[in-house]
Amino acid sequence: PRYDASPILFFLDMVVEDVPIGTDRKIAAVIMGLAMLGAVGYEKFGVTRTHPSYCTWSTGIIASCLHNIDNMLRPQLYWTPKLIYKPLFFFPMDMGFFFWLAVLALGVLALHETRHPWWIWAHTLGTCAGILHFTVQYAWNFTAFAVFTICAEVIAGAIAGLSLLRNHRRLQSSGLEGYEAVPMSQRTENLTAEENPDDFGPERVRNNRPDGGNGGSSLRQRSRSPMIHPE
């Protein structure tokens, strides 16, 4: 058998020799990194309230980005099929580049999904697609770093998907239409009003309280009350 033929899927030829990293793939790697940072940063510091699954979701996005960047720059370490390596539109491995951008877009949609879990399932399957590397070549023939990036993407993606599905189920059972979305400027203004009522006027702060200014919010009143244990 040929050395570049897959021992599992014998009809696939693999990239087995070192290939030069062209400028086009370097630019694509930078775009992927910036897109990842933009999505993760926006969901943390943007106009929306931080999602309950943000930590697991962002971990999965970062792990997926690192794996796909390394796979795009060094396809020979991942026994990449030549069918995927050859240019689809512009440069070698651009198929993987566009696929990952689609997975990232699905991840952002999944984070804001409130009705149907379709985007969550699609994003989870996309992040777990890295396991298909082991259908082309045996796992023990990969380098340790390649196995690490593959497993990190798949495991982190699966955990993120389960977390998103769990929170989606909770949202559905609660009867709410979606997670609260409050602009960052409004959140900062409300916090400042609570800490410095003189700057905003006592009437404004009193009117903004849920109880109309009669002793603080119900949550604060409960925190000041003695704990009552049910019989």
Side-chain angles (χ1 to χ4, degrees):
R2 299 194 322 273
Y3 179 64
D4 62 346
S6 171
I8 303 175
L9 302 177
F10 57 89
F11 54 87
L12 288 179
D13 294 337
M14 306 175 298
V15 177
V16 296
E17 299 179 352
D18 292 344
V19 293
I21 303 175
T23 304
D24 44 14
R25 281 190 288 159
K26 292 180 181 178
I27 295 175
V30 172
I31 294 175
M32 292 170 66
L34 292 176
M36 180 269 292
L37 291 175
V40 171
Y42 173 79
E43 295 299 339
K44 180 64 177 179
F45 304 105
V47 297
T48 56
R49 185 178 71 89
T50 303
H51 192 280
S53 299
Y54 172 79
C55 290
T56 54
W57 174 83
S58 60
T59 301
I61 292 293
I62 294 172
S64 179
C65 181
L66 293 178
H67 163 69
N68 282 274
I69 286 179
D70 192 53
N71 188 13
M72 183 178 63
L73 296 179
R74 303 188 297 175
Q76 69 278 3
L77 295 185
Y78 295 87
W79 304 93
T80 304
K82 293 182 178 179
L83 182 65
I84 297 178
Y85 174 77
K86 69 178 183 179
L88 180 64
F89 296 109
F90 306 108
F91 55 88
M93 291 296 296
D94 60 352
M95 186 185 300
F97 169 74
F98 291 116
F99 173 79
W100 185 83
L101 289 181
V103 170
L104 178 63
L106 289 172
V108 175
L109 291 174
L111 201 64
H112 295 275
E113 179 59 58
T114 58
R115 295 185 178 180
H116 305 288
W118 301 332
W119 299 125
I120 301 176
W121 281 109
H123 171 67
T124 304
L125 292 175
T127 55
C128 292
I131 198 68
L132 296 177
H133 283 289
F134 299 136
T135 66
V136 178
Q137 180 61 273
Y138 299 116
W140 53 82
N141 288 330
F142 287 79
T143 64
F145 185 78
V147 172
F148 169 76
T149 63
I150 294 172
C151 293
E153 179 191 35
V154 173
I155 294 174
I159 294 175
L162 291 175
S163 179
L164 288 169
L165 287 171
R166 181 186 62 181
N167 281 286
H168 180 269
R169 191 174 295 111
R170 289 179 178 177
L171 184 67
Q172 292 293 312
S173 61
S174 66
L176 299 176
E177 295 183 356
Y179 296 103
E180 179 187 4
V182 181
M184 180 67 72
S185 59
Q186 182 178 342
R187 283 186 287 169
T188 305
E189 180 179 337
N190 291 341
L191 288 174
T192 308
E194 289 288 340
E195 296 297 331
N196 303 291
D198 293 336
D199 295 340
F200 290 82
E203 292 297 328
R204 178 176 178 181
V205 176
R206 186 178 300 111
N207 293 333
N208 286 336
R209 290 177 177 173
D211 63 342
N214 297 323
S217 65
S218 58
L219 179 60
R220 292 181 177 178
Q221 289 178 352
R222 289 197 299 269
S223 64
R224 294 168 183 162
S225 303
M227 183 177 295
I228 301 175
H229 299 279
E231 296 296 336

